[in-house]
């Protein structure tokens, strides 16, 4: 156990976390120089492109220290987005230390701080790593001052490196060996292990990534998941060297995986504790939460023939993503689909992209919604996340919407803009304090619905990326909720309905109508597009009828070309949804979801 | 593919022959055609190759059979710019055709002419070679518009060529105009049309602009250099054109074509009336009754084929009765006179009326067509929106 070090890398985006991880894999010989970059910790294309890590994974780096001792360094990768903050916190629990990477030309930034605080909360040994010292704009001394002042860490412990050029990587390894404490724990005690990740393998079932705190586990053991008491017999234990490496057993302090023929992904929850069925530990590790989806949207296949395929695809995604929920849904306009629940909008987008890319599906999404609490006059209460389920307003006594408490840290010069943004979003200021002369921490209570959409992006853009943001759920609070319907050619399109705060109803309705007008191609007849609350029209646009759609000439009897054009036109039509008499393209549904800034 | 044999369905019509001349001096902005730059030796090679292709066709028994029963009665030199050829070269091609294809008496022999590519003596030479119909690509009577289209000639050039044609004895002249080009207004379109009518041609074609993928115009619109054409304006211009030409005695007989009875393009009617035609030259299309084919578009590939004694058809598509029936509908409905559904149904052994009702019945209320017991025709609105109807049949 003394030779084990469990650590993670945390950083502000683009400061070089992935590049450093690559270097560590390379220098410890886990990946050869040739396969470099192809393998890496996060394997999904979409994560690659978006520069985010969603599924955390781990890898063992074998390292012989300058002291001649052979160490096993377990690198645990962490997700890098606020939607997944719970997953990040669980991954941190699995470690004793963290490398905090800071760009030498940028210095300490918002996410540096946010990540730093999270690591501090878990009592991790934090090693500052000053990266990109090869850059002409690198200012190592300045960054050291910030490390002392902003983070309160000893600047002398910082390692200066260039991940790109491979400078100082060994020093990083030495720092891990000497500064990060070896894991503590009792190998003889009953098994107590933390699930920090799991993923699905079509041949082996669920692969559970664990950090063992006490005890040991080996093939043949009966294990138990403490949150639901499900038991399984362990088939294989091992560690990750990028690929799985079976090992006869895993012991206290180690990081590795188990395979136990687990077919139901919902049994393995991040943050849950695994123990032995016949010799359970006294109590579970603290901090386990069942992550619940907070934003909901319906997914419909453009072609109703693809419904079955969508069902299969969602099942498959769910195997790797316990936080994704879905159930059957039906829309008059769009037919059969699924109501899906997500941890946040990024999660939604990732799922959508994977469905479209990996499963080749064309989808229509409805406007994302949070969960509202509706109280009836007869005293009953229901929860709805789907505008289609909104009851007759005459029967409704009150509605409540979810609120969050947001902590925002911003440099002082952006304070005004940040406060304005929060107030625009119906926020209520709770607290404001100066962390030092230049940085301010703001606490606001905000409706989740207002934060979900583009709040984070707006915050980043008005603060040039410097403001950091973190939130926790508060409660449902009374709100003035209305349902806005969209009518196309006087027919209500249920999939376009949305639940919004009354103050927002007019502008949202107007914007939706304008966007639909832009996206829906002209039809044979005039098409009015209306926004309505109940029977009252609050916005209106009109698409004038199509007048010309004609091929003028067939050169020299070239009918083939003409037919090809007609076929193309017909294909295009197939990608549209027929709603009543009107063909609505997928792009129209997407346009309605877009935020103002994307215009 | 080469089968002209009259078993399916029975053809009782003379053949049309189309010769494609792929050369242009410059490229018009709206053009996405494969054209080759004009050069003297390339043209000589081309003439030799087309003559070989004609020779190859002469060895096709099924074509010979069809020809011996019905002969050929139209010949059309299209392009590209056929008027870049010398009269002697046109004559060579014409004679090669005449040797192999038995022509009916008084065949219609058309030459497409671009203004400023043929002077008075060349035009006379063309007439002497045996051409009796000219189709003059004027496109607009406004020099600014011509420049915007990338046409390499002026209005004055066009007027001179028209004059030369008349002097040379051409008494069957068609003028081509383009409607709906960016920058064109309803007013300027009216002026062009007036000028065209004042010349007194026998036939007028007005083509509404299509922005073709790959054309310079398409690129200019995408890059924002010029505004995309206004479709409503194009529709207005088209309706103006139809009524002004009708008033001037040019009855509309097809979506884009206008002429008094007796001056309609016999050759083009073959396309619309589901009749077979032979296409010669690179990128030419033909219809044998049993199949459609397209010759290799690339001039070099075309020449290689014929030099190796192969017909140069690069692609072809065999008809099934169903495919041919649908094409006959699509092409035939372009004619103002419409289609005799009973005859068409007999020809392809289908209940044409039932098919029409099933496929486009829902559009009837939109006023795109009139359907009686045995007849189907597009309305004026339907002609402008004809693709809506036609997409139902591909
Ligand atoms: N010049 C320089 N660039 C680096 C260095 N390390 C990383 N980068 C670049 O910084 C960018 C972000 O790095 P990446 O590892 O993807 O950052 P992450 O978002 O923290 O994972 C990439 O373009 C890297 O090539 C370094 O040491 N020097
Ligand atoms: S003359 Fe015809 S073929 Fe030649 S470039 Fe112009 S449009 Fe194209």
């Amino acid at each position: 156990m003394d030779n084990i070090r469990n650590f993670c890398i945390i950083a502000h985006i683009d400061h070089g976390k992935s590049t450093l991880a690559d270097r560590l894999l390379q220098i410890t010989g886990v990946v050869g120089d040739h396969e470099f970059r192809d393998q890496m910790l996060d394997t999904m294309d979409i994560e690659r492109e978006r520069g985010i890590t969603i599924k955390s994974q781990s890898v063992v780096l074998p390292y012989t220290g300058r002291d001649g001792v052979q160490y096993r360094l377990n690198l645990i990768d962490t997700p890098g987005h606020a939607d997944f903050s719970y997953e990040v916190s669980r991954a941190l629990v699995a470690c004793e230390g963290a490398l905090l990477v800071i760009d030498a030309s940028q210095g300490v930034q918002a996410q540096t701080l946010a990540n730093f605080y999270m690591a501090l909360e878990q009592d991790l040994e934090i090693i500052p790593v000053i990266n990109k010292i090869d850059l002409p704009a690198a200012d190592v001394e300045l960054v050291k001052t910030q490390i002392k002042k902003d983070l309160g860490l000893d600047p002398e412990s910082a390692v200066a490196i260039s991940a790109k050029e491979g400078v100082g990587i060994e020093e990083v390894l030495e720092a891990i060996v000497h500064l990060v404490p070896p894991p503590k724990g009792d190998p003889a005690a009953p098994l107590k292990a933390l699930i920090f990740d799991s993923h699905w393998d079509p041949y082996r079932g669920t692969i559970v990534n664990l950090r063992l705190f006490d005890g040991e586990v080996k093939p043949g053991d009966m294990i138990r998941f403490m949150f639901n008491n499900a038991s399984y017999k362990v088939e294989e234990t091992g560690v990750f060297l990028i690929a799985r490496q079976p090992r006869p057993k895993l012991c206290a302090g180690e990081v590795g995986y188990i395979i136990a023929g687990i077919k139901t992904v919902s049994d393995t929850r991040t943050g849950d504790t695994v123990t032995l069925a016949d010799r359970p530990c006294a109590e579970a590790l603290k901090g386990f939460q069942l992550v619940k989806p907070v934003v909901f949207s319906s997914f419909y296949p453009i072609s109703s023939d693809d419904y079955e395929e969508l069902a299969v695809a969602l099942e498959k995604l769910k195997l790797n993503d316990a936080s994704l929920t879905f159930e059957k849904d039906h829309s008059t306009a769009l037919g059969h689909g699924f109501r899906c629940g997500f941890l946040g909008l990024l999660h939604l987008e990732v799922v959508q992209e994977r469905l479209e890319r990996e499963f080749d599906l064309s989808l229509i999404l409805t406007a994302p919604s949070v969960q509202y609490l509706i109280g009836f006059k007869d005293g009953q209460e229901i929860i709805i996340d789907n505008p289609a389920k909104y009851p007759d307003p005459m029967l409704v006594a009150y509605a409540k919407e979810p609120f969050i408490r947001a902590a925002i840290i911003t440099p002082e010069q952006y304070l005004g803009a940040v406060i304005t943004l929060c107030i625009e979003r119906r926020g209520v200021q709770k607290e404001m304090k100066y962390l030092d002369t230049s940085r301010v921490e703001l606490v606001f209570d905000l409706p989740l619905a207002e934060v979900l959409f583009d709040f984070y992006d707006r915050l980043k853009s008005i603060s040039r990326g410097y403001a950091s943001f973190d939130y926790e759920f508060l409660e449902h609070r009374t709100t003035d909720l209305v349902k806005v319907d969209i009518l196309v050619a006087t027919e209500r399109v249920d999939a376009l309905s949305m639940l919004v705060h009354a103050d927002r109803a007019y502008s949202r309705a107007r914007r939706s109508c304008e966007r639909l007008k832009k996206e829906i191609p002209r039809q044979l007849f005039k098409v009015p597009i209306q926004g309505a609350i109940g029977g009252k029209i609050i916005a209106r646009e009109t698409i004038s009828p199509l007048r010309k759609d004609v091929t003028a000439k067939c050169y020299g009897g070239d009918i083939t070309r003409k037919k090809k054009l007609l076929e193309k036109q017909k294909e295009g039509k197939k990608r549209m949804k027929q709603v009543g008499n009107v063909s609505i393209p997928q792009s129209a549904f997407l346009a309605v979801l877009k935020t103002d800034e994307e215009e | 593919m080469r089968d002209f044999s009259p078993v399916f369905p029975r053809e009782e019509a003379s053949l049309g022959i189309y010769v494609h001349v792929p050369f242009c001096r410059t490229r018009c902005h709206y053009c996405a055609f494969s054209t080759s730059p004009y050069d003297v030796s390339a043209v000589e090679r081309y003439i030799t190759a087309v003559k070989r292709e004609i020779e190859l066709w002469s060895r096709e028994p099924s074509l010979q059979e069809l020809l011996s029963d019905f002969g050929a009665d139209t010949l059309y030199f299209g392009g590209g710019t056929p008027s870049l050829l010398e009269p002697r070269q046109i004559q060579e091609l014409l004679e090669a055709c005449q040797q192999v294809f038995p022509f009916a008496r008084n065949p219609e022999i058309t030459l497409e002419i671009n203004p400023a590519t043929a002077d008075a003596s060349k035009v006379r030479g063309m007439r002497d070679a045996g051409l009796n119909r000219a189709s003059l690509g004027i496109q607009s009577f406004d020099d600014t518009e011509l420049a915007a289209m990338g046409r390499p000639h002026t209005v004055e050039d066009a007027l001179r060529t028209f004059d030369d044609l008349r002097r040379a004895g051409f008494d069957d002249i068609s003028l081509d105009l383009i409607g709906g080009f960016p920058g064109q207004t309803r007013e300027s379109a009216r002026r062009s049309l007036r000028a065209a009518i004042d010349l007194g041609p026998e036939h007028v074609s007005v083509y509404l602009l299509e922005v073709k993928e790959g054309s310079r115009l398409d690129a200019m619109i995408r890059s924002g250099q010029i505004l995309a054409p206004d479709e409503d304006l194009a529709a207005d211009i088209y309706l103006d054109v139809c009524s002004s030409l009708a008033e001037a005695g040019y009855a509309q007989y097809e979506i884009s074509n206008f002429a008094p009875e007796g001056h309609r393009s016999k050759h083009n009617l073959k396309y619309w009336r589901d009749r077979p035609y032979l296409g010669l030259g690179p990128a030419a299309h033909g219809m044998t009754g049993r199949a459609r084919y397209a010759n290799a578009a690339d001039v070099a590939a075309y020449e290689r084929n014929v030099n190796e004694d192969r017909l140069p058809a690069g692609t072809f598509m065999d008809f099934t009765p169903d495919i041919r029936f649908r094409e006959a509908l699509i092409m035939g409905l372009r004619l103002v006179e419409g289609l005799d559904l009973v005859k068409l149904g007999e020809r392809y052994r289908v209940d044409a009326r039932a098919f029409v009702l099933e496929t486009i019945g829902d559009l009837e209320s939109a006023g795109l067509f009139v359907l009686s017991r045995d007849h189907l025709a597009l309305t004026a609105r339907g002609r402008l929106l004809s693709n809506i109807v036609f997409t139902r049949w591909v």
Side-chain angles (χ1 to χ4, degrees), chain A residues 430-459:
Chain A
K430 287 289 164 195
E431 204 182 319
M432 176 166 103
K433 68 170 186 260
Y434 277 79
L435 296 178
D436 54 37
T437 52
S438 65
R439 280 178 312 131
V440 185
E441 181 175 8
L442 282 168
V443 178
F444 262 89
D445 289 356
L446 282 154
L448 176 63
E450 299 282 347
V451 173
L452 274 180
F453 293 89
D454 54 345
F455 182 81
Y456 191 64
D457 296 336
R458 293 278 298 134
L459 183 69

Side-chain angles (χ1 to χ4, degrees), chain A residues 9-22 37 48 51-53 101 103 130-136 161-167:
Chain A
I9 310 177
I10 51 182
H12 188 85
I13 186 149
D14 277 345
H15 280 200
K17 172 176 142 169
S18 317
T19 312
L20 176 57
D22 282 355
R37 262 288 155 191
R48 257 275 124 93
I52 51 169
T53 318
V101 179
D103 186 324
I130 305 174
N131 186 30
K132 307 198 191 182
I133 55 167
D134 58 293
L135 287 179
I161 67 162
S162 166
K164 189 170 158 197
E165 298 188 346
V167 175

Side-chain angles (χ1 to χ4, degrees), chain A residues 243-303:
Chain A
R244 289 196 302 269
Q245 277 276 306
R247 292 278 156 91
K249 64 176 180 183
L250 294 174
C251 295
E254 284 190 313
V255 172
Y257 69 87
I258 54 173
I259 294 172
I262 305 165
K263 297 282 186 259
T264 33
V265 74
S266 54
D267 281 348
T268 58
R269 297 287 190 158
T270 297
D272 190 16
T273 304
V274 182
T275 189
L276 289 178
D278 51 5
R279 196 181 158 219
C281 56
E283 57 180 33
L285 291 154
K286 279 198 283 290
F288 173 68
Q289 286 171 16
L290 209 78
V291 255
K292 290 207 199 99
V294 296
V295 52
F296 298 81
S297 165
S298 296
F299 283 28
Y300 299 95
I302 293 219
S303 152

Side-chain angles (χ1 to χ4, degrees), chain A residues 127 155 174 287 311 437 460 514:
Chain A
I127 305 171
E174 284 298 314
T437 52
K460 287 283 158 193
E514 283 164 8

Side-chain angles (χ1 to χ4, degrees), chain A residues 522 524 549 552 563 570, chain B residues 232 236 327 334 381 384 394:
Chain A
R522 297 165 69 180
L524 281 174
D549 183 1
K563 272 180 68 182
K570 190 174 172 177
Chain B
D232 287 343
D236 287 335
E327 288 196 359
R334 294 182 64 91
R381 177 166 198 240
L384 257 176
V394 292

